[in-house]
Amino acid sequence: DEGGFLVLTVRPSRMRACEANLLKRFNSNGCSLERVSFDDLLFDGLRAEAQELDVDWKVVEQADGTDEGSQDWKNLLHLVSMAQPKIEENLLDREDHLLLVHPGLIARYDMMSLLETLRDRTGHDAACPGVWGLVATDEQNDMPFLDDAEIPLISPGQRAKVSEPWIDNLHRGRSPKLATKETTETGGK
């Protein structure tokens, strides 16, 4: 109810089921949880910046495949840094709670400061009341990571592991056999 920043971790094979359950449960309870794909937001922002600078999109794509020490990679990161403030503004100007999915490129493109901004500027008295980041984890660490970068959190209350029973609705009296059967039939979706 008070909003804020929360990182939800889940096993990679359960990402889709977790995302679907979060959206279903929180949009049906009078809340409004808006799904936002960071990948989509980033690529839209990069395309807009490239177009504004008259940079051919193929050059951007090629730079993504270069060595991280190359000038092309540095140019790509510069383009990313130009797009980042607009992406932050896009996220922070929303009035609904956000479910941020596909956040992996945040670490790849050295944008962890974006997560710090979201962490610091969401809450009950902000335009954007809350951001939940859904992150795949291998459960080897207590802290959530994107690639090899630790997500910057201030307190343990800003992270939570989504349990298998919650994803399968077992806490609501659903049969474990039914949950397993449906997961098998849908391929984990």
Side-chain angles (χ1 to χ4, degrees):
D1 288 342
E2 293 180 19
F5 183 75
L6 178 65
V7 177
L8 299 169
T9 58
V10 66
R11 285 187 321 133
S13 64
R14 300 307 310 264
M15 290 289 290
R16 287 185 180 168
C18 182
E19 178 184 330
N21 283 336
L22 286 166
L23 292 169
K24 180 180 178 183
R25 290 187 200 172
F26 288 96
N27 282 328
S28 65
N29 289 337
C31 295
S32 185
L33 184 61
E34 179 184 354
R35 178 192 182 275
V36 177
S37 168
F38 182 77
D39 286 355
D40 292 346
L41 208 56
L42 175 63
F43 288 122
D44 289 347
L46 288 176
R47 282 189 180 97
E49 289 297 325
Q51 186 174 11
E52 190 174 310
L53 296 170
D54 200 28
V55 174
D56 185 346
W57 185 248
K58 290 184 184 209
V59 171
V60 176
E61 289 176 329
Q62 289 171 351
D64 184 60
T66 62
D67 183 87
E68 292 185 9
S70 72
Q71 187 60 47
D72 288 342
W73 181 259
K74 291 175 186 173
N75 291 343
L76 174 60
L77 290 186
H78 181 69
L79 187 67
V80 167
S81 72
M82 293 174 67
Q84 183 171 333
K86 293 173 187 167
I87 293 169
E88 290 174 1
E89 183 179 326
N90 181 310
L91 291 167
L92 291 169
D93 281 348
R94 298 172 189 239
E95 295 180 8
D96 294 329
H97 293 288
L98 302 180
L99 177 61
L100 188 64
V101 298
H102 311 130
L105 293 178
I106 291 172
R108 175 171 171 76
Y109 294 130
D110 197 23
M111 299 176 73
M112 297 303 280
S113 63
L114 177 134
L115 294 176
E116 292 173 353
T117 300
L118 294 175
R119 178 199 68 203
D120 296 343
R121 293 186 51 201
T122 57
H124 65 281
D125 59 349
C128 180
V131 174
W132 296 351
L134 188 58
V135 176
T137 183
D138 60 9
E139 300 179 3
Q140 292 183 7
N141 289 300
D142 287 338
M143 297 300 294
F145 282 78
L146 291 174
D147 289 335
D148 292 329
E150 184 176 323
I151 296 176
L153 302 176
I154 295 174
S155 73
Q158 292 179 320
R159 69 179 193 265
K161 178 183 173 189
V162 182
S163 70
E164 298 288 325
W166 188 89
I167 294 170
D168 292 331
N169 277 322
L170 298 182
H171 65 289
R172 294 182 176 205
R174 188 171 183 201
S175 164
K177 288 183 181 179
L178 179 60
T180 303
K181 180 181 177 191
E182 286 182 1
T183 301
T184 303
E185 289 174 355
T186 61
K189 295 179 185 176

